[in-house]
Amino acid sequence: MKKTARTIVVVIATLALCFAAVACGGQDLPTPPVKYTVTYALGGGTGTVPTETDKEAGAKFALASGDGLTKENHTFRSEEHTSELQSLRSI
């Protein structure tokens, strides 16, 4: 009688574990956020380009300063490119 009771308990416990495993296996794991690398290029100029950390998709951040960057016969004025940057942000 004790052996039968023990067998029943083992079977019930095994079935419970199987149901729990199936129930947990049906859930989707969270997807890690998409990240983008932000880089700056001299484009023929001179100086040390700023660095940025990776940014999550949709994150807002301030563009790095162009202080110390030069290019012969060019003037750096970031406000001239505000509309271009706003249109690029939606890409």
Side-chain angles (χ1 to χ4, degrees), residues 21-71:
V22 169
C24 291
Q27 297 176 353
D28 291 333
L29 296 175
T31 305
V34 175
K35 290 193 172 193
Y36 293 97
T37 300
V38 178
T39 58
Y40 298 94
L42 289 173
T46 59
T48 302
V49 292
T51 59
E52 288 282 349
T53 58
D54 288 349
K55 307 295 182 200
E56 286 188 17
K60 295 183 186 228
F61 63 99
L63 294 175
S65 167
D67 292 346
L69 302 178
T70 60
K71 186 172 181 180

Side-chain angles (χ1 to χ4, degrees), residues 69-88:
L69 302 178
T70 60
K71 186 172 181 180
E72 191 174 325
N73 299 320
H74 289 79
T75 302
F76 178 76
R77 292 183 50 189
S78 61
E79 65 272 7
E80 290 179 2
H81 303 287
T82 301
S83 62
E84 292 173 37
L85 293 172
Q86 288 174 345
S87 64
L88 288 174

